[in-house]
């Protein structure tokens, strides 16, 4: 509902404390790090000129970027390999990174563990590879069991060479067309899921030519181990014995790996958590500036966390100097990051706001307005008690499945809104007359639904004008906030237009027409001259940022665009009523199909299929149309979304 107030943190400490401070900053999870050297160069990094600060101030004359030379790529690769070897989850656990540890000593321990485990795992990989090779060979060689071919005899031929291999079915057809060009005996001995299995016997003098042709057909030759040579029965028996032998060895290796996991699993889990911490610490250190004696750190922090931050550095005593600067004390072109602060009801809708853009620091957070209006619009277009309940339950399921995802929370809220409007419309799983309508049956009051949608659009657009005015005035933008088409002047112009349209629609005059026309004329003039007028009021020169004639030509087109956008924005909301009617009409079609079938079981299937289609297909369409109204009709009036998201340095995947 609001953007958190930020302050700039400037910190100076002895260079030997840089690891401890960086670790503290990461564990705080509330410091958005910025480049300290840039802040110093821009004169944003300041210290009080006190006697105890003189060393730090003098030392700033020799300042340079700090570079952390630690490279975690090698040890990180080994830790990740160990996690894969043991089948562990990649989770960062708070207890492992909050306790004291020596990462260098930890690195040596991991190196030793990796060396021991990698040997065992390498043995496992070799056994699996050999097993797969034997199983593949066995799956193909069994095609020879109907023959009495002795593979050892084929291998010992003096004037002929032999090979067994596989061709795809496409290349098999090409081979058939070229039989007359191959000086070899090609015997088809079977088929499998991969392709066709062939035995090829060719004179050794012509082996090179035969191999060339087979290579062109992507012939996959099977390697026949010497120990498997013999008759097909002997070969298959040897293969089966070898498979059994390797399976026994593999079980022993798996058991050994299990013992190693039991022995070292906890150490590897700690190593992963601490590796992630070290990587984040490196990011912090590389954003600092340093001299031979001190280092300098800058970042944005929420004001409400100042005491927590100060307390966390108290243990370092006078060695650490901390200063906070309000946004007003920082150069205007330095943009603070934006941290949104919303309650449990509206928090999930932050993701929809951020899809459009992050609010600027001095811009109103639109999450509250979006969440309330979006739930209202979705419910109005998709009002059904039963289908809304399905969405609600689906949202609960997705929220429990992935607690970090906000879309489950959005679904639950949209489901509740759909249920509320379902009660107002008297609709449950598409049936319109099972429960009474507290408001109206949409299909029976089409004009009311369509006109009501336009009225809703007018109300929301007027509210969006209010947001735009407040945003612009917060930014001291008189040009757009007062005189612009989305400012005070634009709101007056829009209301005057509505009074004229209302007169034509109802025949009643809300205000005298001549007054409305005068207001419209004055508003149009103010829109045209808003730039020179605002510059004149603020005593800015020059009055025009471009050629005068070009400015007025552009402003003339701007008036035309203003009229079109106001008209299209208002009429666009008619889709709310149209989709509410479409929702009912679609289910009437399924009811008609059920009556045509005139069969109880068939009718039940039709109603189930209809609800599934409506929930998934129309639900998705309404979700998108609601977003379209928010983004194009409302956000375009009052929201810029050009801010920088507050991203505190922290270790992810914490549990």
């Amino acid at each position: 509902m609001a953007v958190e107030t930020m302050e700039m943190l400037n910190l100076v400490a002895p260079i030997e404390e840089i690891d401890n401070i960086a670790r503290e900053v990461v564990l705080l999870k509330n410091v958005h790090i910025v480049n300290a050297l840039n802040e110093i160069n821009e004169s944003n990094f300041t210290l009080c000129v006190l006697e105890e600060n003189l060393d730090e101030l003098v030392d700033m004359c020799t300042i340079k970027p700090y570079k952390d030379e630690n490279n975690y790529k090698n040890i990180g690769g080994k830790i990740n390999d160990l996690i894969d070897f043991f089948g562990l989850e990649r989770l960062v656990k708070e207890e492992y990174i909050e306790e004291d540890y020596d990462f260098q000593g930890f690195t040596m321990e991991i190196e030793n563990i990796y060396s021991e485990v990698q040997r065992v795992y390498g043995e496992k990989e070799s056994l699996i590879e050999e097993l797969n090779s034997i199983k593949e060979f066995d799956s193909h060689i069994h095609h020879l069991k109907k023959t009495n071919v002795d593979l050892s005899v084929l291998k010992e031929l003096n004037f002929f060479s032999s090979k067994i291999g596989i061709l795809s079915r496409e290349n098999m057809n090409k081979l058939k067309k070229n039989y007359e060009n191959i000086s070899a005996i090609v015997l088809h001995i079977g088929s499998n899921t991969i392709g066709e299995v062939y035995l090829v016997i060719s004179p050794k003098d012509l082996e090179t030519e035969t191999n060339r042709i087979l290579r062109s057909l992507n012939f996959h030759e099977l390697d026949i181990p010497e120990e498997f040579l013999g008759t097909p029965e002997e070969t298959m028996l040897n293969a089966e014995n070898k498979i059994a032998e390797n399976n026994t060895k593999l079980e022993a290796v798996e058991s050994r790996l299990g013992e190693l996991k039991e022995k070292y699993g906890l150490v590897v889990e700690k190593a992963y958590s601490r590796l992630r911490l070290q990587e984040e610490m490196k990011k912090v250190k590389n954003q600092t500036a340093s001299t031979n004696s001190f280092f300098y750190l800058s970042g944005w922090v929420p004001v409400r966390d100042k005491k927590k931050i100060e307390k966390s550095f108290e243990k370092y005593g006078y060695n650490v100097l901390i200063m906070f600067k309000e946004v007003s004390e920082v150069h205007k072109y330095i943009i603070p990051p934006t941290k949104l602060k919303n309650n449990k009801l509206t928090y999930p809708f932050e993701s929809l706001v951020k899809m459009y853009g992050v609010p600027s620091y001095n811009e109103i957070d639109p999450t509250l307005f979006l969440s309330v209006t979006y739930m209202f619009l979705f419910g109005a277009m998709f009002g059904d008690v039963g289908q809304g309940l399905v969405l609600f339950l689906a949202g609960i399921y997705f929220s429990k499945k992935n607690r970090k995802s906000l879309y489950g929370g959005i679904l639950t809220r949209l489901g509740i809104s759909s249920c509320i409007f379902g009660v107002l419309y008297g609709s449950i799983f598409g049936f319109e007359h099972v429960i009474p309508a507290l408001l109206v049956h949409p299909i029976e009051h089409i004009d009311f639904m369509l006109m009501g949608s336009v009225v809703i659009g007018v109300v929301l657009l007027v509210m969006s004008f209010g947001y735009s005015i407040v945003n612009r005035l917060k930014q001291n933008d008189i040009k757009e906030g007062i005189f612009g088409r989305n400012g005070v002047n634009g709101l007056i112009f829009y209301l005057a237009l509505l009074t004229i349209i209302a007169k034509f629609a109802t025949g009643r005059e809300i205000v005298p027409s001549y007054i409305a026309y005068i207001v419209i004329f004055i508003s149009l003039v103010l829109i045209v001259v808003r730039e020179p007028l605002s510059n004149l009021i603020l005593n800015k020169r020059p009055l025009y940022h471009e050629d005068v004639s070009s400015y007025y030509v552009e402003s003339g087109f701007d008036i035309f665009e203003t009229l079109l956008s106001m008209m299209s924005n208002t009429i666009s909301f008619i889709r709310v009523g149209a989709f509410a009617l479409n929702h009912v009409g679609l289910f009437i079609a399924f009811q008609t199909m059920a009556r045509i079938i005139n069969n109880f079981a068939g009718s039940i299937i039709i109603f189930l299929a209809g609800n599934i289609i409506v929930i998934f297909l129309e639900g998705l369409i309404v979700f998108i149309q609601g977003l379209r109204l928010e983004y194009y009709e409302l956000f375009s009036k009052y929201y810029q979304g050009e801010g920088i998201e507050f991203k505190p340095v922290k270790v992810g995947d914490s549990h």
Side-chain angles (χ1 to χ4, degrees):
M1 294 191 293
V3 173
E4 288 222 30
T5 305
M6 292 285 161
E7 286 194 7
M8 173 72 79
L9 163 70
N10 290 330
L11 181 148
V12 185
I15 194 71
E16 58 268 18
E17 295 284 4
I18 191 166
D19 283 320
N20 292 329
I21 298 297
R23 182 171 181 266
E24 204 72 50
V25 168
V26 175
L27 294 179
L28 279 168
K29 302 179 186 177
N30 56 11
V31 182
H32 179 103
I33 294 293
V34 295
N35 189 277
L37 189 60
N38 290 343
E39 297 305 303
I40 292 170
N41 291 336
E42 296 293 339
S43 301
N44 282 323
F45 197 116
T46 54
L47 294 172
C48 294
V49 185
L50 300 174
E51 185 176 349
E52 60 266 28
N53 298 349
L54 288 179
D55 289 342
E56 291 87 338
L57 287 167
V58 171
D59 216 37
M60 287 178 75
C61 299
T62 60
I63 203 158
K64 62 184 184 297
Y66 182 86
K67 184 67 176 176
D68 186 349
E69 301 296 340
N70 288 313
N71 188 342
Y72 300 111
K73 186 175 181 180
N74 182 49
I75 191 64
K78 291 181 177 179
I79 290 172
N80 280 292
D81 283 347
L82 286 170
I83 287 175
D84 292 333
F85 293 165
F86 291 152
L88 300 172
E89 288 188 87
R90 286 176 169 79
L91 298 178
V92 175
K93 297 185 178 179
E94 297 288 344
E95 60 266 29
Y96 298 155
I97 59 177
E98 289 177 349
E99 61 190 20
D100 293 330
Y101 62 87
D102 174 16
F103 193 74
Q104 291 301 323
F106 218 67
T107 298
M108 294 300 297
E109 185 177 4
I110 290 297
E111 293 278 4
N112 294 332
I113 292 172
Y114 180 82
S115 179
E116 181 180 354
V117 175
Q118 199 273 337
R119 284 196 301 271
V120 179
Y121 193 81
E123 186 179 345
K124 174 186 173 181
E125 291 283 281
S126 297
L127 284 170
I128 291 174
E129 185 178 351
E130 187 178 350
L131 264 173
N132 290 336
S133 177
I134 296 169
K135 287 178 180 177
E136 182 188 17
F137 171 75
D138 185 55
S139 69
H140 297 118
I141 205 65
H142 79 275
H143 293 299
L144 287 173
K145 65 184 179 181
K146 295 180 181 179
T147 68
N148 198 24
V149 177
D150 191 327
L151 295 179
S152 60
V153 172
L154 289 178
K155 283 286 184 181
E156 293 171 359
L157 292 175
N158 293 323
F159 301 104
F160 292 89
S161 63
S162 64
K163 52 180 67 67
I164 296 174
I166 305 170
L167 281 174
S168 68
R169 287 171 178 79
E170 180 184 354
N171 287 326
M172 175 193 72
N173 293 328
K174 292 180 181 179
L175 178 65
K176 287 179 178 178
K177 294 177 182 178
N178 287 278
Y179 273 156
E180 67 276 6
N181 298 322
I182 302 176
S183 301
I185 298 170
V186 181
L187 179 63
H188 181 244
I189 59 175
S191 303
N192 58 28
T193 55
I194 301 174
E196 306 300 320
V197 184
Y198 286 90
L199 170 63
V200 180
I201 302 174
S202 64
K204 286 192 175 179
D205 292 342
L206 301 173
E207 185 177 8
T208 302
E209 180 64 19
T210 301
N211 289 341
R212 182 186 64 78
I213 294 171
L214 292 176
R215 277 198 305 272
S216 70
L217 297 171
N218 293 320
F219 182 77
H220 174 57
E221 184 177 356
L222 299 177
D223 183 35
I224 304 175
E226 293 289 334
E227 58 189 307
F228 293 161
L229 295 177
T231 64
E233 290 80 6
E234 292 172 340
T235 299
M236 286 186 284
L237 182 61
N238 290 337
E240 289 172 4
N241 291 337
K242 189 66 176 177
I243 289 172
E245 179 187 338
N246 279 16
N247 278 329
T248 302
K249 290 181 180 178
L250 188 60
E251 287 176 7
V253 170
E254 291 280 12
S255 176
R256 177 62 179 148
L257 275 176
E259 293 172 1
L260 292 173
K261 179 181 179 179
E262 188 73 24
K263 184 178 180 181
Y264 299 125
L266 183 61
V267 178
V268 174
E269 286 181 347
K270 288 183 177 181
Y272 177 76
S273 295
R274 292 167 181 177
L275 169 70
R276 293 295 308 278
L277 175 60
Q278 294 296 132
E279 289 171 341
E280 294 303 316
M281 287 168 55
K282 182 175 180 176
K283 292 178 185 177
V284 173
K285 289 188 281 185
N286 285 338
Q287 289 296 313
T288 63
S290 66
T291 62
N292 292 331
S293 303
F294 300 98
F295 75 92
Y296 305 80
L297 180 146
S298 288
W300 291 100
V301 299
V303 170
R304 64 187 176 93
D305 290 334
K306 279 174 61 176
K307 290 184 179 179
K308 179 183 176 182
I309 292 169
E310 289 173 334
K311 188 175 181 180
S312 67
F313 292 117
E314 280 179 359
K315 55 187 159 188
Y316 301 102
Y318 65 88
N319 286 332
V320 177
L321 301 177
I322 298 176
M323 281 197 65
F324 294 96
K325 295 178 70 174
E326 295 181 2
V327 174
S328 59
E329 300 176 84
V330 181
H331 288 304
K332 290 184 178 179
Y333 56 82
I334 303 296
I335 302 173
T338 302
K339 183 179 182 182
L340 303 181
K341 182 171 60 178
N342 288 288
N343 57 35
K344 290 183 179 180
L345 174 66
T346 60
Y347 174 69
F349 291 94
E350 283 186 9
S351 59
L352 299 184
V353 172
K354 291 176 182 177
M355 280 173 61
Y356 190 93
V358 177
S360 300
Y361 180 74
N362 56 358
E363 191 173 15
I364 296 175
D365 176 14
T367 306
L368 174 62
F369 185 58
L370 176 137
S371 59
V372 174
T373 56
Y374 188 62
M375 284 188 287
F376 179 86
L377 293 171
F378 185 91
M381 290 188 280
F382 198 78
D384 189 284
V385 176
Q387 294 163 3
L389 182 61
V390 172
L391 292 179
F392 175 75
L393 295 175
I396 291 177
Y397 169 76
F398 287 121
S399 296
K400 289 184 176 180
K401 187 176 181 181
N402 185 357
R403 294 186 180 277
K404 291 186 177 181
S405 174
L406 299 178
Y407 292 104
I410 293 173
L411 267 182
T412 57
R413 287 151 180 79
L414 295 183
I416 292 171
S417 177
S418 183
C419 288
I420 292 171
F421 275 90
V423 173
L424 295 176
Y425 294 161
S427 176
I428 178 167
F429 286 116
F431 295 99
E432 295 291 306
H433 300 287
V434 174
I435 58 176
L438 295 186
L439 179 63
V440 65
H441 286 298
I443 203 68
E444 297 173 3
H445 300 83
I446 295 176
D447 289 344
F448 173 82
M449 293 299 298
L450 297 179
M451 291 303 298
S453 299
V454 175
V455 172
I456 289 168
V458 169
V459 172
L460 295 182
L461 287 170
V462 169
M463 292 175 69
S464 70
F465 272 108
Y467 267 88
S468 176
I469 292 166
V470 174
N471 273 332
R472 293 295 186 177
L473 294 182
K474 278 185 69 177
Q475 299 163 5
N476 297 317
D477 186 357
I478 293 177
K479 173 186 169 184
E480 296 299 334
I482 301 295
F483 305 114
R485 67 180 184 179
N486 293 322
V488 174
N489 182 46
L491 175 58
I492 294 171
F493 176 65
Y494 182 61
L495 293 175
L497 277 177
L498 289 176
T499 60
I500 293 174
I501 294 170
K503 178 188 174 183
F504 284 109
T506 65
R508 296 181 180 179
E509 201 171 59
I510 300 173
V511 296
S513 296
Y514 72 92
I515 293 178
Y517 284 117
I518 291 172
V519 169
I520 288 172
F521 176 75
I522 294 172
S523 296
L524 290 175
V525 172
L526 290 176
I527 290 173
V528 170
V529 300
R530 65 187 184 279
E531 182 173 310
L533 183 59
S534 59
N535 286 338
L536 187 65
I537 293 171
L538 296 173
N539 198 25
K540 288 184 179 180
R541 296 295 185 276
L543 296 179
Y544 300 92
H545 73 284
E546 59 182 326
D547 180 69
V548 176
S549 59
S550 298
Y551 170 79
Y552 283 108
V553 169
E554 185 180 329
S555 295
F557 281 107
D558 196 34
I559 288 175
F560 182 67
E561 184 184 349
T562 299
L563 287 167
L564 282 179
S565 67
M566 285 183 176
M567 182 174 66
S568 64
N569 290 158
T570 305
I571 294 174
S572 187
F573 278 89
I574 206 168
R575 73 186 66 226
V576 176
F579 274 101
L581 295 170
N582 177 70
H583 185 77
V584 179
L586 188 59
F587 207 82
I588 288 175
F590 285 107
Q591 288 176 326
T592 304
M593 291 169 61
R595 282 196 297 269
I596 292 172
I597 291 176
N598 196 25
N599 177 279
F600 180 76
S603 297
I604 294 296
I605 293 171
I606 289 292
F607 284 128
L608 285 174
N611 273 283
I612 291 170
I613 291 171
V614 168
I615 290 170
F616 286 97
L617 182 59
E618 191 185 353
L620 177 62
I621 293 172
V622 169
F623 183 90
I624 294 170
Q625 290 300 322
L627 272 186
R628 186 200 179 284
L629 289 172
E630 292 288 347
Y631 287 169
Y632 292 99
E633 319 307 340
L634 301 178
F635 270 21
S636 60
K637 288 219 172 299
Y638 71 88
Y639 184 55
Q640 292 175 296
E642 297 176 351
I644 301 168
E645 186 176 0
F646 179 75
K647 292 184 177 179
V649 60
K650 61 181 180 179
V651 183
D653 298 327
S654 297
H655 286 260

